[in-house]
Coordinates of all heavy atoms in Angstrom, one line a residue:
G1 N 102.0 101.6 131.4 CA 100.6 101.7 131.4 C 100.2 102.2 130.0 O 101.0 102.8 129.3
A2 N 98.9 102.3 129.7 CA 98.4 102.8 128.4 C 98.8 104.4 128.4 O 98.8 105.1 129.4 CB 96.9 102.7 128.4
S3 N 98.9 104.9 127.3 CA 99.4 106.3 127.1 C 98.3 107.3 127.1 O 97.3 107.1 126.4 CB 100.3 106.5 125.8 OG 100.6 107.7 125.6
P4 N 98.5 108.4 127.8 CA 97.5 109.5 127.8 C 97.7 110.5 126.6 O 96.9 111.5 126.4 CB 97.5 110.2 129.1 CG 99.1 110.1 129.4 CD 99.5 108.7 128.7
E5 N 98.7 110.4 125.9 CA 99.3 111.4 125.0 C 98.2 111.6 123.8 O 97.6 110.8 123.4 CB 100.6 110.9 124.4 CG 101.9 110.7 125.3 CD 102.9 109.9 124.7 OE1 102.8 108.7 124.8 OE2 103.7 110.6 124.3
N6 N 98.3 112.9 123.5 CA 97.6 113.4 122.2 C 98.7 113.5 121.2 O 99.2 114.6 121.0 CB 96.8 114.7 122.4 CG 96.1 115.2 121.2 OD1 96.2 114.4 120.2 ND2 95.5 116.2 121.2
C7 N 98.9 112.4 120.4 CA 100.3 112.6 119.6 C 99.8 113.6 118.4 O 100.9 114.0 117.8 CB 100.6 111.2 119.0 SG 99.5 110.4 117.8
A8 N 98.7 113.8 118.1 CA 98.3 114.7 116.9 C 98.9 116.2 117.3 O 99.2 116.9 116.5 CB 96.8 114.7 116.8
A9 N 99.0 116.4 118.6 CA 99.4 117.7 119.1 C 100.9 117.9 118.9 O 101.5 119.0 118.9 CB 98.9 118.0 120.5
Y10 N 101.6 116.8 118.8 CA 103.1 116.8 118.6 C 103.5 117.4 117.2 O 104.3 118.1 116.9 CB 103.7 115.6 118.8 CG 103.7 114.8 120.2 CD1 103.6 113.5 120.4 CD2 103.4 115.7 121.3 CE1 103.5 113.0 121.6 CE2 103.4 115.1 122.5 CZ 103.4 113.8 122.8 OH 103.4 113.3 124.0
G11 N 102.6 116.9 116.2 CA 102.8 117.4 114.9 C 104.1 116.6 114.3 O 104.7 115.9 115.0
P12 N 104.3 116.9 113.0 CA 105.6 116.2 112.5 C 106.8 116.8 112.9 O 106.9 117.9 113.3 CB 105.3 116.4 111.0 CG 104.6 117.7 111.0 CD 103.6 117.6 112.2
G13 N 107.9 115.8 112.9 CA 109.2 116.2 113.4 C 109.8 115.2 114.2 O 109.1 114.4 114.9
F14 N 111.1 115.1 114.5 CA 111.8 114.3 115.3 C 111.7 112.8 114.7 O 112.5 112.3 114.1 CB 111.6 114.5 116.8 CG 112.5 113.5 117.6 CD1 113.8 113.6 117.5 CD2 111.8 112.6 118.5 CE1 114.6 112.8 118.2 CE2 112.6 111.7 119.2 CZ 114.1 111.8 119.1
D15 N 110.6 112.2 115.2 CA 110.5 110.8 114.8 C 109.1 110.6 114.1 O 108.6 109.5 113.9 CB 110.5 109.9 115.9 CG 109.6 110.2 117.2 OD1 108.8 111.1 117.0 OD2 109.7 109.6 118.3
R16 N 108.5 111.7 113.6 CA 107.1 111.6 113.0 C 107.1 112.3 111.8 O 107.4 113.5 111.5 CB 106.1 112.5 114.0 CG 106.1 111.8 115.5 CD 105.3 112.7 116.4 NE 105.9 114.2 116.5 CZ 107.0 114.5 117.1 NH1 107.5 113.6 118.0 NH2 107.2 115.8 117.2
P17 N 106.8 111.5 110.7 CA 106.8 112.0 109.3 C 105.7 112.9 109.0 O 104.7 113.0 109.9 CB 106.7 110.8 108.5 CG 106.0 109.7 109.3 CD 106.5 110.1 110.8
N18 N 105.7 113.7 108.0 CA 104.6 114.4 107.5 C 104.0 114.0 106.2 O 103.0 114.6 105.7 CB 104.8 115.9 107.5 CG 105.9 116.3 106.3 OD1 106.4 115.4 105.7 ND2 106.1 117.5 106.2
E19 N 104.5 113.0 105.6 CA 103.9 112.3 104.5 C 104.4 111.0 104.3 O 105.5 110.6 104.8 CB 104.1 113.2 103.2 CG 105.6 113.4 102.7 CD 105.8 114.1 101.6 OE1 105.2 115.3 101.5 OE2 106.4 113.6 100.5
T20 N 103.7 110.0 103.6 CA 104.1 108.8 103.4 C 105.1 108.6 102.2 O 105.4 109.7 101.6 CB 102.8 107.9 102.9 OG1 102.3 108.4 101.7 CG2 101.8 108.0 103.9
R21 N 105.7 107.5 102.0 CA 106.7 107.3 101.1 C 106.2 107.8 99.7 O 107.0 108.3 98.7 CB 107.1 105.8 101.1 CG 108.3 105.5 100.2 CD 108.5 104.1 100.0 NE 108.9 103.5 101.3 CZ 110.1 103.3 101.7 NH1 111.1 103.7 100.9 NH2 110.5 102.8 102.8
D22 N 104.9 107.4 99.5 CA 104.4 107.8 98.0 C 103.8 109.2 97.9 O 103.1 109.5 97.1 CB 103.4 106.7 97.6 CG 102.3 106.7 98.6 OD1 102.1 107.3 99.6 OD2 101.4 105.7 98.3
G23 N 104.0 110.0 99.1 CA 103.7 111.4 98.9 C 102.4 111.8 99.5 O 102.0 113.0 99.3
R24 N 101.6 110.9 100.1 CA 100.3 111.2 100.7 C 100.6 112.0 102.0 O 101.3 111.6 102.8 CB 99.4 110.0 100.9 CG 98.9 109.4 99.8 CD 98.2 108.0 100.0 NE 99.3 107.0 100.5 CZ 99.2 106.1 101.3 NH1 98.0 105.9 102.0 NH2 100.1 105.3 101.6
K25 N 99.9 113.1 102.2 CA 100.0 113.9 103.5 C 99.5 113.1 104.6 O 98.4 112.4 104.6 CB 99.3 115.2 103.4 CG 99.9 116.1 102.3 CD 101.3 116.5 102.6 CE 101.9 117.4 101.5 NZ 103.3 117.7 101.9
I26 N 100.2 113.2 105.7 CA 99.8 112.5 107.0 C 99.0 113.6 107.8 O 99.5 114.7 108.0 CB 101.0 112.0 107.7 CG1 101.6 110.8 107.0 CG2 100.6 111.7 109.2 CD1 103.0 110.3 107.6
V27 N 98.0 113.4 108.4 CA 97.1 114.2 109.0 C 97.3 114.1 110.6 O 97.2 112.9 111.1 CB 95.6 114.0 108.8 CG1 94.6 114.9 109.5 CG2 95.3 114.1 107.3
Y28 N 97.6 115.3 111.2 CA 97.6 115.3 112.7 C 96.4 116.1 113.1 O 96.4 117.4 113.1 CB 98.9 116.0 113.1 CG 100.3 115.1 112.8 CD1 100.9 115.1 111.6 CD2 100.8 114.5 113.9 CE1 101.9 114.4 111.4 CE2 102.0 113.7 113.6 CZ 102.4 113.6 112.4 OH 103.6 112.9 112.1
D29 N 95.4 115.4 113.3 CA 94.0 115.9 113.3 C 93.6 116.2 114.9 O 93.4 115.4 115.6 CB 93.0 114.8 112.8 CG 91.6 115.3 112.9 OD1 91.4 116.5 113.1 OD2 90.7 114.5 112.9
L30 N 93.6 117.5 115.2 CA 93.3 118.0 116.5 C 91.8 118.0 116.6 O 91.3 118.2 117.8 CB 94.0 119.3 116.9 CG 95.5 119.2 117.0 CD1 96.2 120.7 117.0 CD2 95.9 118.4 118.2

């Protein structure tokens, strides 16, 4: 079923980057 997760709360790490290939920051916006 559809996911209830708040993936922003996970933050970067494991399988989630913190910036793009060209260096732009990825926002985990709570």
Side-chain angles (χ1 to χ4, degrees):
S3 172
E5 295 165 277
N6 178 7
C7 74
Y10 296 154
F14 181 60
D15 55 6
R16 303 170 302 280
N18 67 355
E19 62 181 53
T20 64
R21 185 187 294 268
D22 58 5
R24 289 170 292 145
K25 294 297 180 184
I26 293 172
V27 179
Y28 290 81
D29 176 23
L30 292 172

